[in-house]
Amino acid sequence: MAKYKQNLEINKKLTLVGRFVHWADGVEVNGKVLKLSVLIWMAAFAIGQQKTNWQILRGEKVVRAESELPQLAPAKEVMQNNNLQCGEKAVAKTFAIGKLSLDQFTIKKNMENIIADKPMQQMIAAVSQRDTQTASYLVAIAKKESNLGKFSPKDADGKECFNYWGFRGSQNTTKSGYSCFASPEEAVAVVGDRIQYLTQIGKYDTPQKMSVWKCGFDCSWDNPAAVKKWITDVGYYHAKLTDNL
């Protein structure tokens, strides 16, 4: 009885494998051989089940054909139907339509509706490639200053200067002090850079602040009614150009 209790206490402290070994010790016939056989069998069983991730304790494994698994879209893709180009780093409003962002494309379409058959029509391609703030002020100010090129300065020979903004710079100035540009592209580049500097660096980013274009940094000398009208008109066309952005 004492020996039985002793074996019971030992069994409580042993693992499953240990209990088999202890039981084998108690078998008098070929005890050593049986003990060794049990150890070998248990080791083989453990190794085999580890390889199969102990599937004997799991339900039936479900296997799906690779073709049935959901396929992920490629990292880069070109959607040719609508000319939208997408990439890994694409974020909202930076998808390209040709060389233009969606905002630039919207400005371009709004610009075409406003300019129609005016002389500034030849500048649409160059203007639409500028940032949207610069592009909208290029058109809005040109509308106010020259009715989109209908009334603009000419050089000494009567040649078009492509200055639709009343811009006074150092470029081949006329007798009246207005810049005279060699091409529509040069005009957009020079005047666009000045507007971009004012809006982004100088923070003159509202029609009211942009009145600096009309009367300088202090408009106290100018006719208040004329300044107010300039702000209203430029603001109106600026808003129409940036509509739906």
Side-chain angles (χ1 to χ4, degrees):
M1 188 66 176
K3 185 175 182 181
Y4 173 78
K5 290 183 178 180
Q6 183 181 6
N7 288 339
L8 188 62
E9 290 299 321
I10 292 173
N11 280 341
K12 289 181 180 179
K13 300 178 181 179
L14 294 177
T15 62
L16 182 62
V17 175
R19 290 180 187 181
F20 270 100
V21 173
H22 183 67
W23 171 79
D25 281 337
V27 178
E28 296 181 1
V29 180
N30 297 324
K32 292 184 179 180
V33 175
L34 182 59
K35 178 180 176 181
L36 182 60
S37 298
V38 169
L39 285 174
I40 293 174
W41 182 84
M42 291 297 294
F45 176 82
I47 293 171
Q49 284 303 308
Q50 193 168 12
K51 285 185 176 180
T52 58
N53 200 20
W54 296 96
Q55 288 299 324
I56 195 171
L57 302 178
R58 299 176 182 269
E60 183 181 355
K61 187 177 181 180
V62 179
V63 180
R64 295 175 60 183
E66 186 176 349
S67 60
E68 296 178 7
L69 297 175
Q71 300 296 312
L72 296 177
K76 293 184 179 180
E77 178 181 34
V78 177
M79 296 179 284
Q80 296 180 349
N81 291 339
N82 55 9
N83 294 322
L84 291 178
Q85 298 179 359
C86 303
E88 292 174 302
K89 298 182 179 179
V91 293
K93 296 195 175 185
T94 59
F95 300 100
I97 303 180
K99 294 182 179 179
L100 305 179
S101 70
L102 288 179
D103 280 354
Q104 287 174 318
F105 185 77
T106 301
I107 288 281
K108 182 174 182 289
K109 302 306 289 186
N110 292 342
M111 192 190 316
E112 289 171 347
N113 294 332
I114 292 172
I115 292 177
D117 58 350
K118 296 292 194 301
M120 195 175 180
Q121 187 177 33
Q122 61 191 317
M123 296 182 178
I124 288 178
V127 173
S128 61
Q129 292 181 36
R130 306 295 304 224
D131 68 275
T132 55
Q133 189 81 299
T134 301
S136 59
Y137 278 118
L138 276 168
V139 178
I141 293 174
K143 175 64 178 175
K144 179 61 180 176
E145 295 291 341
S146 68
N147 194 13
L148 301 169
K150 191 173 181 180
F151 308 102
S152 61
K154 309 294 187 290
D155 67 7
D157 299 324
K159 185 179 177 181
E160 178 62 58
C161 287
F162 306 108
N163 186 347
Y164 303 157
W165 307 272
F167 183 76
R168 296 174 183 269
S170 60
Q171 296 80 11
N172 191 26
T173 56
T174 64
K175 289 183 178 180
S176 54
Y178 293 105
S179 294
C180 199
F181 303 106
S183 68
E185 291 75 21
E186 182 189 17
V188 171
V190 174
V191 180
D193 285 351
R194 180 57 180 166
I195 289 176
Q196 187 171 353
Y197 176 85
L198 288 172
T199 57
Q200 295 184 7
I201 306 300
K203 302 301 180 184
Y204 295 93
D205 50 5
T206 66
Q208 184 170 2
K209 292 178 180 179
M210 188 54 75
S211 62
V212 66
W213 194 271
K214 170 177 170 49
C215 48
F217 296 101
D218 181 9
C219 290
S220 60
W221 62 270
D222 207 339
N223 183 341
V227 174
K228 184 178 180 180
K229 185 69 165 62
W230 192 96
I231 293 170
T232 300
D233 291 348
V234 169
Y236 173 80
Y237 285 101
H238 180 271
K240 286 183 70 69
L241 285 157
T242 56
D243 189 31
N244 297 323
L245 291 185

